[in-house]
Amino acid sequence: MEIEYTTLTDLDAWFREEVFNAINCRENLDVIIDIANKYNEHHDNLQGGGNN
């Protein structure tokens, strides 16, 4: 799962879609946690490492 978004709005939309799809496919919690970790990493990067 590759993430290449440049805005927080696009990243948020990606996150919602990925979690929704994972739930609909009855994925286990580890898959959803992986999605959340990727979201958090990219969210911090878009905010300049979280130092803003």
Side-chain angles (χ1 to χ4, degrees):
M1 142 185 12
E2 188 65 32
I3 305 173
E4 296 186 17
Y5 295 110
T6 57
T7 69
L8 291 175
T9 301
D10 289 343
L11 181 62
D12 289 347
W14 170 86
F15 177 74
R16 286 189 302 275
E17 182 176 343
E18 288 294 316
V19 170
F20 181 77
N21 288 339
I23 292 169
N24 280 339
C25 294
R26 300 189 187 274
E27 296 286 356
N28 63 32
L29 189 57
D30 290 337
V31 172
I32 295 172
I33 290 171
D34 186 46
I35 293 167
N37 287 336
K38 290 182 187 310
Y39 170 85
N40 286 334
E41 177 185 329
H42 287 274
H43 186 274
D44 288 347
N45 290 340
L46 286 173
Q47 287 192 326
N51 294 328
N52 290 351

